[in-house]
Each structure stands twice: as structure tokens, then as C-alpha cells.
């Protein structure tokens, strides 16, 4: 109908002898066409908007579902990564089972005398050794500017000597280091931990210092903590465990 009216108006536009009545008719028909076109546009626009809204809902639903699957997949990958990192850390720690760290030996003890001095210190905790019982002995890290003694690491041929030294290490508390030519220093014997386990042990010492836990210790390279004197020791497998156990604690400061 709209097309017929348009054709009719076009025919009138070529006829210069149209009466006033024809002009009025054309005006009314024009108004009708405009109104019809507007109505048609409004109707189509509403339908299009409705279709767009439905399409938007479908797209959003699909995106939500896809995002959910991606999060689940990401969480699985994170869990797998943590599992692999834990396995690598355990293997690394196992390779250090024959190692022992001695802290406090002054830097003026030269490298050629370091092993001899380490053997002397271990004898004070009832671990009798000969040079053939030690696979290696050296300091860890670079020399510090303030000449703070670096840790000395000893690798035993027999792990039993390492375990015995750790069991008897409390005997160092009563040791007169001056009589050994070490001056007035404090000596400590500790397990040789991986960087990850060393970090966990550091965090646990911070918790103990801030009285968040009762005590902490390491055993066979594994870090443990006890929340109170009446609690059983808890194994600390990773940093996430600590952060979940103490969500309000600031581990970085």
C-alpha cells in the first residue's frame, strides 16, 4: 500500500496542472506514508532490539559458562603445578640429607683449616670423625662486607653422622668457643634446607617470635609447627598452607 501511494505521488509530481485538492490529497498521503514508515520502523526496531537482547543473553550465558570452565581448568593447572613443585622440592631436599650447616665459624678461619675446625666442633657434640668421613666442606655464598661469618656446609659420607650431630647439637650451648680459638661466638648446627623449605622455616620463626605459634622445628628437611603446647605438630608443606592457617598475618613484614 505504501508503495502504491509513493508511485501515485510520483505521478502527481510530473503533472503541473494538479488542482489544490490534488495537492491536499498528496499532502495527506505523504503524512500517511511518513506515519506508516515511522510505525514500520518502530516495529522493526522493537523486534531487532528484542532479538539483540535475546542474543546478548545467549552470549553472556555462553561466556559465563566458558569462564567457569576456564577457571576450573586454571585451578587444576595450579594444583598440578603446586604438586610438581612440591615433588621437585622433596627430591631436592632428599639430595641434601647428608648435609649439615654450621653457623658461626669466624671468617678468619681459612679454607685450608675449615674442615679441620668443623671436625673439632663436631667432636664437642660427641660425633667422632676422620677426614675420610667427610665428602666435602666449604662456606656458603659470597664473603659479606661486614665480615659476618658465612654458613659452613659439611657433606658426610654416612648420614648417621649427620643425624647424630643434629641430635646432640644442644651440647653446643655450653661450649667454650674461646678455648677452640674461635673467639666469643655462638655456634649452631642445622639441617641443610632447600630454598623453599628455608623460606617456610623463616616464616615459622617469625610466627613464633610474634607468639602466633608455640614452637617450630625441622625434621628430615620438613618444617613443622605447633600452634599451642597441647597441640600435635603440623607439617608445613608449602607457603599456601601457612597463609591459609594464618590469613590475617603479614608474612612480608
Amino acid at each position: 500500500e505504501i508503495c502504491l501511494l509513493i508511485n501515485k505521488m510520483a505521478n502527481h509530481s510530473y503533472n503541473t496542472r494538479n488542482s489544490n485538492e490534488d495537492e491536499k490529497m498528496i499532502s495527506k498521503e505523504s503524512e500517511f506514508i511518513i506515519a506508516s514508515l515511522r510505525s514500520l520502523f518502530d516495529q522493526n526496531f522493537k523486534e531487532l532490539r528484542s532479538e539483540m537482547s535475546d542474543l546478548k543473553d545467549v552470549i553472556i550465558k555462553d561466556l559465563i559458562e566458558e569462564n567457569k570452565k576456564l577457571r576450573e581448568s586454571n585451578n587444576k593447572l595450579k594444583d598440578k603445578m603446586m604438586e610438581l613443585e612440591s615433588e621437585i622440592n622433596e627430591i631436592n631436599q632428599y639430595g641434601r640429607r647428608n648435609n649439615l650447616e654450621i653457623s658461626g665459624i669466624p671468617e678468619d678461619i681459612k679454607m685450608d683449616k675449615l674442615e679441620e675446625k668443623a671436625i673439632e666442633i663436631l667432636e664437642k657434640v660427641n660425633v667422632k670423625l676422620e677426614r675420610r668421613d667427610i665428602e666435602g666442606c666449604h662456606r656458603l655464598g659470597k664473603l659479606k662486607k661486614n665480615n659476618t661469618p658465612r654458613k659452613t656446609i659439611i657433606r658426610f659420607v654416612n648420614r648417621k653422622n649427620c643425624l647424630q650431630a643434629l641430635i646432640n647439637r644442644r651440647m653446643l650451648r655450653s661450649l667454650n668457643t674461646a678455648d677452640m680459638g674461635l673467639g666469643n661466638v655462638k655456634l649452631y648446627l642445622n639441617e641443610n634446607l632447600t630454598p623453599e623449605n628455608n623460606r617456610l622455616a623463616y616464616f615459622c620463626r617469625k610466627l613464633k617470635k610474634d607468639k602466633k605459634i608455640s614452637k617450630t622445628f625441622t625434621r628430615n628437611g620438613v618444617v613443622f609447627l605447633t600452634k599451642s603446647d597441647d597441640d600435635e605438630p603440623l607439617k608445613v608443606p608449602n607457603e599456601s598452607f601457612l597463609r591459609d592457617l594464618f590469613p590475617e598475618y603479614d608474612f612480608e613484614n
Side-chain angles (χ1 to χ4, degrees), residues 26-42:
I26 292 173
S27 178
K28 289 181 180 180
E29 289 173 348
S30 298
E31 292 176 358
F32 173 76
I33 291 173
I34 293 173
S36 298
L37 288 173
R38 183 177 291 114
S39 176
L40 181 62
F41 174 80
D42 290 343

Side-chain angles (χ1 to χ4, degrees), residues 100 102 105 109-138 152-157 161 165 172 175 180 182 187 189:
L100 180 72
I102 303 179
I105 299 179
I109 303 297
K110 302 303 180 183
M111 185 62 198
D112 59 345
K113 298 293 183 180
L114 188 61
E115 183 177 301
E116 179 184 334
K117 188 59 65 175
I119 291 175
E120 183 181 354
I121 292 170
L122 291 169
E123 286 179 349
K124 299 298 183 180
V125 295
N126 290 337
V127 179
K128 307 298 182 181
L129 298 170
E130 297 182 10
R131 286 186 177 273
R132 65 172 179 267
D133 296 319
I134 296 178
E135 185 176 321
C137 178
H138 61 86
T152 297
I153 185 170
I154 302 174
R155 185 171 180 82
F156 296 95
V157 174
N161 290 322
L172 288 177
L175 182 64
M180 299 175 62
L182 298 175
L187 298 174
L189 301 181

